[in-house]
């Protein structure tokens, strides 16, 4: 579960300038400010020009509990994408996130998580995904990425429609969570969500189960975000909005290309799937969607 961003008073300090100068970057006003707002850690958060692209840096050190932003707009069904460049070097214990979450009572919140679990220099960073519906998560899948996510920006996408939640990396699908509501499996269909992004210390669990702790001598840790886009879900012609799409519509069915990408990701990059965890679940205890998937439904 991603760290919930808690609002704090906007602060400006010399540390902001010091981090930016140390990294050889120049502060700049950015149009990202039209779409997102800083929730906490403003003294560790800054906009800058990365070439011709306006970007946002989130920073973490041992005196500040990281930093966080959120989208100004809320939505039900849509596609969110963001370019992210992760913390370089020894990032063990550090977690960068991009996730959507509803803002009603926590006991039945909905959430779609992308969490990047830091690691020792040269070791792979894990993309940890999870989905919460009505306050219940436990639907984790984890992936190694087929590139160094600290060397450059890559695009991470959450696509949410009435039939599927799809997670894509650089446009290619790596995970799909199907709507099995007709079989009694909860699916997020009614609570508005926002995009959040954060950088925080989670060394009690993030790296090798918490065995590797954050090395604060490596601080500040910095992750970069840019190219935030949001597009509303588009229903079939003549349908008012995606939530009104007829149940028998094929509008959001997965095409062969997407199915092929999902199979490839499961074979090459996925390192954990809750539906295959026989240590965690007895055969009769697996979540219902797991058995439905096995049946090809």
């Amino acid at each position: 579960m991603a760290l919930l961003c808690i609002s704090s008073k906007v602060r400006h300090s010399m540390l902001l300038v010091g981090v930016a100068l140390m990294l050889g970057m120049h502060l700049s006003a950015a149009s990202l400010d039209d779409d997102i707002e800083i929730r906490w850690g403003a003294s560790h958060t800054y906009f800058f020009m990365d070439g011709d692209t306006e970007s946002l840096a989130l920073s973490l050190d041992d005196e500040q509990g990281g930093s966080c932003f959120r989208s100004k707009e809320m939505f039900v069904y849509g596609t969110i994408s963001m370019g992210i460049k992760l913390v370089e070097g020894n990032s063990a214990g550090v977690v960068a996130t991009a996730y959507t979450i509803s803002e009603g009572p926590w006991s039945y919140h909905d959430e779609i998580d992308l969490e990047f679990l830091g690691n020792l220099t040269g070791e792979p960073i894990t993309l940890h995904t999870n989905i919460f519906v009505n306050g219940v998560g436990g639907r984790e899948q984890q992936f190694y990425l087929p590139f160094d996510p600290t060397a450059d920006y890559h695009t991470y996408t959450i696509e949410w429609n009435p039939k599927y939640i799809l997670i894509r990396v650089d446009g290619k699908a790596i995970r799909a969570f199907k709507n099995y509501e007709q079989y009694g499996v909860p699916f997020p269909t009614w609570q508005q969500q926002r995009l959040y992004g954060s950088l925080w210390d989670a060394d009690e669990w993030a790296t090798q189960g918490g065995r590797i702790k954050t090395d604060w001598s490596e601080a500040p840790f910095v992750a970069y975000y840019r190219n935030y886009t949001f597009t509303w879900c588009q229903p079939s012609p003549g349908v008012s909005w995606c939530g009104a799409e007829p149940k028998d519509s094929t509008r959001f069915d997965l095409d062969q290309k997407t199915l092929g990408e999902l199979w490839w990701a499961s074979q090459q990059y996925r390192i954990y799937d809750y539906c295959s965890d026989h240590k965690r679940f007895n055969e009769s205890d697996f979540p219902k969607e797991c058995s439905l998937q096995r049946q090809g439904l």
Side-chain angles (χ1 to χ4, degrees):
M1 176 167 50
L3 178 68
L4 182 63
C5 296
I6 302 170
S7 177
S8 66
K9 187 181 295 184
V10 175
R11 301 182 301 275
H12 297 279
S13 73
M14 291 304 294
L15 179 59
L16 184 155
V17 178
V19 170
L21 293 177
M22 181 178 64
L23 296 169
M25 298 176 179
H26 302 285
L27 302 182
S28 170
S31 63
L32 276 174
D33 188 53
D34 295 335
D35 300 313
I36 65 174
E37 58 187 7
I38 307 305
R39 295 298 290 164
W40 48 262
S43 65
H44 282 50
T45 307
Y46 57 92
F47 295 99
F48 67 99
M49 293 303 297
D50 190 357
D52 295 329
T53 305
E54 296 161 336
S55 302
L56 174 67
L58 302 184
S59 179
L60 166 69
D61 63 30
D62 59 346
E63 296 181 357
Q64 166 73 29
S67 43
C68 172
F69 67 88
R70 75 176 187 182
S71 65
K72 293 181 179 178
E73 191 164 27
M74 301 187 74
F75 53 89
V76 174
Y77 302 137
T79 299
I80 285 179
S81 290
M82 198 146 203
I84 304 174
K85 181 181 177 183
L86 298 176
V87 175
E88 295 184 57
N90 180 4
S91 60
V94 177
V95 174
T97 71
Y99 62 100
T100 65
I101 191 169
S102 61
E103 296 182 345
W106 184 254
S107 59
Y108 57 83
H109 80 284
D110 295 339
E111 183 176 348
I112 306 167
D113 283 345
L114 303 183
E115 297 182 285
F116 301 90
L117 312 185
N119 212 336
L120 298 170
T121 302
E123 295 296 320
I125 289 174
T126 298
L127 171 55
H128 175 95
T129 69
N130 198 0
I131 295 166
F132 285 74
V133 188
N134 298 334
V136 178
R139 303 176 177 93
E140 302 94 343
Q141 288 187 1
Q142 294 183 340
F143 303 83
Y144 286 152
L145 299 170
F147 49 76
D148 179 359
T150 73
D152 203 352
Y153 289 91
H154 291 270
T155 301
Y156 303 91
T157 301
I158 296 171
E159 185 177 326
W160 173 28
N161 63 54
K163 279 195 176 179
Y164 285 96
I165 293 168
L166 280 171
I167 295 172
R168 300 181 184 270
V169 177
D170 289 336
K172 295 183 178 180
I174 65 166
R175 178 175 185 181
F177 181 76
K178 189 173 182 178
N179 185 346
Y180 286 119
E181 275 193 312
Q182 69 269 37
Y183 299 101
V185 178
F187 188 85
T189 58
W190 64 277
Q191 295 193 83
Q192 289 188 320
Q193 299 191 44
R194 289 186 208 268
L195 172 71
Y196 280 77
S198 63
L199 184 68
W200 56 294
D201 174 40
D203 72 358
E204 71 277 7
W205 65 270
T207 305
Q208 299 182 31
R211 289 188 294 272
I212 309 298
K213 301 301 182 181
T214 304
D215 181 357
W216 292 109
S217 70
E218 301 284 340
F221 303 100
V222 185
Y224 306 95
Y225 295 74
R226 70 182 188 186
N227 293 338
Y228 165 67
T229 63
F230 170 76
T231 56
W232 289 97
C233 175
Q234 297 297 311
S236 299
V239 178
S240 59
W241 75 292
C242 284
E245 189 73 25
K247 296 295 184 183
D248 59 353
S249 170
T250 61
R251 177 72 170 180
F252 304 112
D253 289 352
L254 303 182
D255 58 26
Q256 289 303 310
K257 179 176 181 293
T258 300
L259 290 170
E261 291 169 352
L262 291 167
W263 179 86
W264 183 253
S266 72
Q267 299 300 304
Q268 299 295 318
Y269 310 127
R270 192 170 67 200
I271 57 174
Y272 177 81
D273 179 7
Y274 73 111
C275 281
S276 301
D277 192 342
H278 292 273
K279 293 182 179 179
R280 179 176 173 184
F281 301 108
N282 295 322
E283 192 59 39
S284 60
D285 295 333
F286 275 95
K288 192 171 185 178
E289 65 266 22
C290 299
S291 62
L292 294 170
Q293 290 171 17
R294 295 188 194 113
Q295 296 172 47
L297 297 176

